[in-house]
Amino acid sequence: MKPFLKKAALFLPVVLFLGLLLYGLKTHNRPIEGREAPGFSLQLFSGEAFKLKEQRGMIVVVNFWASWCLPCREEAPTLEAFWRAYRNKGVVLVGVNIWDTEGSARAFIREFGSTYPNGPDRKGTIAIEYRVTGVPETFFIDREGKIAH
């Protein structure tokens, strides 16, 4: 076998493997806009339960956050102002705390005076369903329950 063919025979499987890996990463992280929003129930820090299916007919904003996240700290006042401006206009905002401790999350909520519903995603199942790759990440769900953005 010629040296060129030997190198090609060794190189081809590596190229195919990398191509399949990139394809998998790209299709797994596809935007989920236009699809039905994954349903979830969240035990809120207030002790109440939040159920996405009970919000049908409302615009729902789901914000994934963590207390240690600097951009989350920057957007916290804006989210609270948004909640106060739109909560009586058919809009629901819910915070989903991920990758955090309960004490730190509660301190964050107190620090920023957050009054909108917030709860921990202790097992990370909601974050996985929404394909969250980092914080903060926010999803807009339309009145029919589909992810709009």
Side-chain angles (χ1 to χ4, degrees):
M1 192 180 245
K2 295 187 177 188
F4 172 76
L5 292 177
K6 282 185 180 179
K7 288 180 183 176
L10 291 173
F11 188 67
L12 187 59
V14 172
V15 170
L16 288 174
F17 173 75
L18 289 174
L20 284 172
L21 180 65
L22 289 172
Y23 173 77
L25 289 172
K26 184 175 181 174
T27 57
H28 176 72
N29 289 322
R30 271 186 288 188
I32 54 179
E33 290 179 10
R35 294 185 188 171
E36 188 78 18
F40 66 89
S41 293
L42 184 66
Q43 186 67 37
L44 302 174
F45 288 118
S46 66
E48 299 173 48
F50 177 91
K51 295 179 182 172
L52 182 63
K53 69 180 178 181
E54 293 177 355
Q55 310 307 315
R56 192 60 58 102
M58 306 285 276
I59 295 170
V60 181
V61 180
V62 182
N63 176 256
F64 291 88
W65 64 277
S67 64
W68 47 263
C69 161
L70 293 179
C72 298
R73 300 181 78 73
E74 292 173 4
E75 76 177 8
T78 303
L79 288 171
E80 181 61 23
F82 171 84
W83 170 243
R84 290 176 188 242
Y86 291 97
R87 67 181 170 196
N88 295 322
K89 297 179 180 175
V91 178
V92 175
L93 170 62
V94 63
V96 181
N97 177 250
I98 58 176
W99 310 320
D100 214 340
T101 65
E102 185 170 334
S104 296
R106 286 180 181 274
F108 179 96
I109 291 168
R110 277 191 308 275
E111 178 182 345
F112 291 101
S114 300
T115 61
Y116 56 90
N118 271 284
D121 181 13
R122 289 186 176 95
K123 294 182 181 179
T125 53
I126 301 168
I128 290 169
E129 287 293 319
Y130 279 79
R131 300 177 184 171
V132 172
T133 58
V135 287
E137 223 170 287
T138 303
F139 293 82
F140 296 86
I141 302 170
D142 68 20
R143 296 181 195 285
E144 287 77 41
K146 295 190 189 298
I147 296 178
H149 188 70

